[in-house]
Amino acid sequence: MAQAMRPNTAGGLFATDGKPHPLQDTLLAVTLVLGITAFVSAMFHNLHLLSSWAGLVGILTGAYGQWISETTRERFGLILGLGASAIGFFLGMAHGGLFGGVF
């Protein structure tokens, strides 16, 4: 009955290893917030500074989070945040860029 002592973590996509990962979870949350901010603000032409900078920082935090992530749940959320950050970054760059009108 050794299998009765092991936790069943293979049951779903969001299974974790049962250990806390505070740094990875923080990077996940930051990447998701920056990705949503970049994506939503990219829909407005005059917010290109916000969308491009939020997208760039979201891409960097998401890339570092992917590098140190340990579970599928972390990687799944980071990919969603990275995608939203990239779309926001690219649209922000198309609307005026990181320094559009400032320099």
Side-chain angles (χ1 to χ4, degrees), residues 16-40:
T16 77
D17 58 356
K19 300 175 192 171
H21 302 120
L23 177 61
Q24 290 87 346
D25 291 339
T26 303
L27 287 171
L28 170 62
V30 168
T31 302
L32 284 173
V33 168
L34 287 171
I36 291 168
T37 302
F39 184 78
V40 171

Side-chain angles (χ1 to χ4, degrees), residues 54-71:
L56 180 62
V57 175
I59 289 169
L60 294 175
T61 58
Y64 182 67
Q66 281 283 42
W67 187 45
I68 65 169
S69 66
E70 295 183 11
T71 65

